[in-house]
Amino acid sequence: MDQDLKAYFAKTLAEVSIDCVIFGFHAGELKVLLLRWKETDGWSLPGGRIFKEESLNAAAVRILQERTGLTEIFLHQYYTFGDTNRNTHFTEMELLERLEGFFGKGIFDELLHNRVVSVGYFALVEFALVQATPDWFTDECRWWNIADVPNLLFDHNDMITSALQALRQQIRNQPIGYDLLPEKFTMPELQKLYETILDKQFDRRNFQKLLMSYDILEKLDEKRVGVANKSPFLYRFDKQKYEKAIHSGISFSM
């Protein structure tokens, strides 16, 4: 019986990690934060292991704070990735060749062959406030346009695709923008955010009418200056009403 039990645990042993898709919005484009591993050209999502006395959410918050410098972040757990082979674009040998320069073949070879299940989170952050910081394993932490993301290590391209799908689903049922836009913004900027995420164009008047019907926006007695066309009014979210709409839900359908 003892041998059977040992064999059972040997078969079921797996590590758990967290990987984060951090979305930012800048210059009319949706961006994602990526890390370049030390002494390589291999890119991946920010992530890490969970401390023994740490919850999943606490670990995700810690990882995001370390990479962005932000303490208040919109965070959503959206999927768990647990395929037995999670090397989408590179074989194990290619991964070893890319990463063993820093880690050493023996060390990384052992890490690579451990079974790892990753819990995926996506985060929404205001681009201008982020202080992008690499971790101990990486040399660079940089924003990439969604359309320009290269072939990433492991299955991280699939993680971004799934996170974007989850974000698009959420935007149809909850307000989006508080964590991605500056405090004051124009209606065209808010519309561009929705159009970029959903990859769809909207009629200007219908969009404004729908967003104002949620009663989460406050129109200010200020206008955006220094623009080529007629100066548009600035808006901001009413935080209390915004948070209430998140909990009660909305129906975004255009």
Side-chain angles (χ1 to χ4, degrees), residues 8-236:
Y8 171 79
F9 282 114
K11 290 180 180 179
T12 58
L13 183 62
E15 298 182 29
V16 179
S17 69
I18 286 176
D19 287 293
C20 302
V21 181
I22 304 174
F23 290 117
F25 186 70
H26 179 67
E29 294 183 323
L30 191 64
K31 299 178 181 291
V32 62
L33 200 62
L34 298 178
L35 296 169
R36 182 176 58 79
W37 289 53
K38 284 184 180 291
E39 301 179 15
T40 76
D41 60 354
W43 293 83
S44 75
L45 292 169
R49 295 294 194 267
I50 304 162
F51 294 158
K52 289 183 178 180
E53 297 183 359
E54 189 176 44
S55 69
L56 282 171
N57 285 349
V61 169
R62 170 180 54 81
I63 291 168
L64 286 163
Q65 288 179 349
E66 292 170 350
R67 301 288 70 75
T68 67
L70 302 179
T71 56
E72 295 185 10
I73 302 173
F74 176 88
L75 190 64
H76 180 73
Q77 184 184 138
Y78 69 97
Y79 197 73
T80 300
F81 299 83
D83 287 350
T84 54
N85 181 12
R86 296 181 54 205
N87 303 321
T88 302
H89 295 293
F90 306 102
T91 66
E92 287 191 1
M93 184 59 67
E94 288 171 332
L95 281 172
L96 285 172
E97 291 174 353
R98 282 172 174 264
L99 302 176
E100 70 183 13
F102 174 74
F103 292 98
K105 184 173 182 179
I107 295 176
F108 194 77
D109 185 69
E110 181 179 348
L111 292 174
L112 186 63
H113 287 90
N114 286 346
R115 174 77 186 281
V116 179
V117 173
S118 290
V119 180
Y121 284 81
F122 73 76
L124 308 178
V125 299
E126 186 179 336
F127 181 91
L129 298 181
V130 171
Q131 298 176 351
T133 306
D135 59 21
W136 188 83
F137 297 98
T138 55
D139 279 328
E140 185 179 0
C141 187
R142 175 158 49 103
W143 289 105
W144 286 71
N145 292 338
I146 286 290
D148 299 329
V149 170
N151 287 340
L152 304 179
L153 301 175
F154 314 112
D155 55 355
H156 288 192
N157 291 89
D158 296 335
M159 290 184 175
I160 294 175
T161 298
S162 296
L164 187 55
Q165 291 173 346
L167 177 58
R168 286 172 174 167
Q169 181 62 39
Q170 183 182 25
I171 203 174
R172 298 182 185 279
N173 298 287
Q174 291 181 329
I176 289 289
Y178 184 85
D179 303 279
L180 289 167
L181 293 170
E183 180 184 2
K184 300 176 183 180
F185 51 87
T186 66
M187 189 62 70
E189 290 168 347
L190 180 60
Q191 181 172 338
K192 181 62 176 177
L193 172 63
Y194 271 72
E195 290 178 338
T196 301
I197 292 174
L198 293 172
D199 194 23
K200 182 179 180 180
Q201 301 296 309
F202 301 113
D203 177 80
R204 178 179 62 82
R205 292 181 181 178
N206 289 341
F207 179 86
Q208 180 168 343
K209 182 179 180 181
L210 179 61
L211 265 294
M212 293 304 294
S213 72
Y214 298 144
D215 193 30
I216 59 174
L217 293 174
E218 178 185 356
K219 186 176 182 180
L220 306 177
D221 292 327
E222 303 177 47
K223 291 187 176 182
R224 173 77 76 214
V225 297
V227 295
N229 300 319
K230 183 180 178 181
S231 299
F233 278 99
L234 291 171
Y235 293 78
R236 67 184 174 195

